[in-house]
Amino acid sequence: MSIPHISDRIIDPMMALAGCSTRQRIVVVGAKSMDLMMELQRRGYLLAAAAGNCGRPAGQYEVALVDWRRRTLGELEATMEWLDDFLSLRAVLVIWLDAQKPAAKETLRAAVTKRGFVVLQGAEHPCGCALLARRSQAYPLQKAA
């Protein structure tokens, strides 16, 4: 019996959090993005692409899975800026991190909110933590009566 690679262990919780279907276009970002994309495709998510082969930005992706293990939150801002034009107006974003202190989690929430996302959920796992957010355009403001 082989021990699952750590990348394999984060796919299931990320996909569960995102609520993905095999018909959605998914972009995977991070150091192991090619490995994660290939695993997703092996599982039937044939529209998954890694950051290196995701094409030109055209708002074409409905889901972004960001593997941000062993990286600083400060570096995430540039990645979020790059990723922005690839995501549709109703996009879901899942960011996976190493286990974080509460202050770092708040910094992450603030950075995601600043980019126009509403944080919906956070989750703790034995090999890290994840944050689920959706574009704020997916939640239009109600007009006053």
Side-chain angles (χ1 to χ4, degrees), residues 47-108:
L47 300 177
N53 68 348
C54 61
R56 292 190 174 166
Q60 69 267 43
Y61 292 98
E62 299 159 284
V63 179
L65 303 177
V66 180
D67 176 9
W68 211 250
R69 293 172 290 165
R70 292 185 224 128
R71 292 187 171 182
T72 68
L73 292 177
E75 295 172 311
L76 184 60
E77 181 64 31
T79 298
M80 292 291 295
E81 171 109 14
W82 172 85
L83 186 59
D84 199 41
D85 292 332
F86 287 92
L87 301 178
S88 72
L89 294 178
R90 300 187 58 78
V92 171
L93 172 69
V94 177
I95 301 174
W96 188 276
L97 303 161
D98 296 312
Q100 298 288 317
K101 295 179 181 176
K105 290 177 190 174
E106 287 307 312
T107 301
L108 174 63

Side-chain angles (χ1 to χ4, degrees), residues 22 24-28 36-38 40-41 45-50 53 61:
T22 56
Q24 289 180 298
R25 293 184 64 130
I26 302 167
V27 63
V28 185
L36 292 171
M37 178 207 66
M38 289 178 5
L40 287 172
Q41 289 183 348
Y45 294 89
L46 302 179
L47 300 177
N53 68 348
Y61 292 98

Side-chain angles (χ1 to χ4, degrees), residues 104-125:
K105 290 177 190 174
E106 287 307 312
T107 301
L108 174 63
R109 285 176 178 268
V112 169
T113 302
K114 177 182 168 186
R115 302 283 332 150
F117 287 84
V118 174
V119 176
L120 302 175
Q121 185 178 354
E124 299 288 330
H125 296 275

